[in-house]
Amino acid sequence: MKPKISLITLAVTDMPRSIAFYRDGLGFPIHNFKEGEDFAMFRLEGTWLALFPWREMAKEVDVPAAPPSFGGVMLSHNAPSKAAVDQVYAQALAAGAVATVPPKDVSWGGYSGYFADPDGHYWEVAWNPFTDLT
């Protein structure tokens, strides 16, 4: 297996709300989407992000459809500066994200904050002075 992730699919409970969050709120470019479809893909740098109905994804992987309180997965966005972290964090909150930890200096020497999207998927926005992941 190649060491890469081609697509990340998030289970969502309200497709129009989630599309609005990612497309309109965060500015992710949507790919070949027609209103009313139950699957959406966003072209990112180096990978894709997809949205799929929560109940349908649960059926596909044969698990109960109840959303977990924390699935142990976090998506991360690395920004080029502390100011950029603050800007992205504010943009996410304005788009409807729920603040979990505001951006701050962290023990490993960087700067990061955390929010949850409308379905509770956790995101980290971070600046790492030791590695350029932007």
Side-chain angles (χ1 to χ4, degrees):
M1 180 173 165
K2 283 180 158 182
K4 78 177 214 176
I5 296 174
S6 304
L7 176 70
I8 297 166
T9 305
L10 301 178
V12 301
T13 56
D14 183 329
M15 185 66 71
R17 177 189 68 186
S18 294
I19 289 170
F21 177 78
Y22 285 101
R23 179 189 61 199
D24 307 330
L26 297 185
F28 288 8
I30 199 162
H31 179 73
N32 291 339
F33 177 76
K34 294 177 184 64
E35 293 299 325
E37 290 182 333
D38 66 354
F39 183 75
M41 291 179 62
F42 300 88
R43 182 186 302 268
L44 308 179
E45 292 182 18
T47 193
W48 291 78
L49 178 70
L51 305 176
F52 192 60
W54 199 290
R55 290 191 182 284
E56 296 304 313
M57 186 183 289
K59 284 181 199 174
E60 285 197 13
V61 297
D62 196 23
V63 297
S69 62
F70 177 64
V73 175
M74 179 173 46
L75 303 168
S76 297
H77 173 79
N78 286 278
S81 67
K82 289 182 179 184
V85 169
D86 291 337
Q87 186 276 323
V88 170
Y89 192 82
Q91 180 182 2
L93 296 186
V98 175
T100 58
V101 178
K104 63 182 180 180
D105 292 314
V106 290
S107 63
W108 50 268
Y111 183 78
S112 67
Y114 300 88
F115 65 83
D117 78 0
D119 283 286
H121 300 292
Y122 291 96
W123 280 83
E124 173 191 35
V125 182
W127 168 70
N128 184 337
F130 310 109
T131 306
D132 182 16
L133 297 174
T134 58

